[in-house]
Amino acid sequence: MKRMRIVLLGLAAALAGCQREERQLRLDPPIANALDKVALMPNRIGGAPPEVYFALDKPYETNAYNLSQGKRLYSWFGCKSCHGDGQGGSGPGFLDGWWYYGPETVSIFASVRDGRPHGMPPFGDKMTTDQIWQLAGYVQTIGSYEGKTAAPSRNDEKQTRPSENRAPAKLLFDEGPSPVHPDQGPTP
């Protein structure tokens, strides 16, 4: 009888310790409206997310569910056709360390929502505010220089490199051959 209590107590403790990440499948309209009001700099490059973003604890950068949804949206809305898997194409790449409008999530949000000159179409009328934040969080992870705790799921067809958040982008750069003679220029 005592052994049975110990087993049941251990099982209860194990089940209590298995807590899943919270998923919010739909934002309340006032929160979605507040998330849409980002403060951009006058040149529309960079800015600050609304206060509610911090009150929610940056869910689009730290929640694996939101990152996975962003990954799904990246494929679903055809972002791969211009940006590839982050290496670029007709659109800019995310792995080269150079972001035209800044690598901050709010800059990516503004780029997706409002579009940018020279080819980036606006998606504000095709996606909800929540979806744009999810996509922005995922795009930020593609070119991230630091691994984060949360990561989107991994595609089965891509087995040549780790998942986006598990290998910072700086590990994927090819520095090229080093000069044979030290007088041929600066070392990278």
Side-chain angles (χ1 to χ4, degrees):
M1 186 69 167
K2 187 175 181 178
R3 180 179 272 176
M4 184 65 135
R5 281 187 195 167
I6 292 172
V7 169
L8 288 175
L9 186 60
L11 183 61
L15 289 175
C18 295
Q19 187 175 2
R20 236 181 138 170
E21 198 172 52
E22 186 177 333
R23 295 181 182 190
Q24 185 172 3
L25 301 178
R26 182 171 176 225
L27 285 178
D28 293 330
I31 294 174
N33 189 33
L35 281 172
D36 201 35
K37 294 179 178 24
V38 296
L40 294 173
M41 300 295 285
N43 60 3
R44 306 201 48 83
I45 299 174
E51 289 297 318
V52 71
Y53 187 73
F54 297 107
L56 294 171
D57 198 24
K58 301 180 181 182
Y60 303 102
E61 299 176 38
T62 59
N63 184 290
Y65 171 73
N66 285 324
L67 292 172
S68 291
Q69 291 293 60
K71 185 175 188 171
R72 179 183 59 82
L73 292 167
Y74 187 82
S75 178
W76 193 12
F77 279 94
C79 303
K80 283 185 175 187
S81 63
C82 293
H83 300 285
D85 287 328
Q87 296 174 346
S90 62
F94 306 128
L95 296 175
D96 59 4
W98 177 255
W99 294 66
Y100 294 122
Y101 300 102
E104 298 86 19
T105 309
V106 70
S107 298
I108 301 167
F109 173 85
S111 295
V112 172
R113 181 187 68 184
D114 305 332
R116 296 291 185 178
H118 309 296
M120 176 67 185
F123 285 92
D125 59 343
K126 296 174 182 69
M127 296 176 160
T128 65
T129 300
D130 193 38
Q131 289 175 327
I132 296 172
W133 278 108
Q134 288 171 337
L135 179 60
Y138 173 69
V139 167
Q140 187 185 40
T141 66
I142 294 174
S144 177
Y145 279 86
E146 298 173 357
K148 296 182 181 179
T149 304
S153 61
R154 182 176 175 165
N155 290 350
D156 288 335
E157 71 271 7
K158 281 199 247 178
Q159 296 296 326
T160 59
R161 67 177 206 161
S163 182
E164 287 83 356
N165 270 354
R166 299 299 181 225
K170 65 182 174 185
L171 298 177
L172 302 175
F173 292 132
D174 181 16
E175 293 181 9
S178 59
V180 177
H181 300 287
D183 60 336
Q184 289 183 338
T187 308

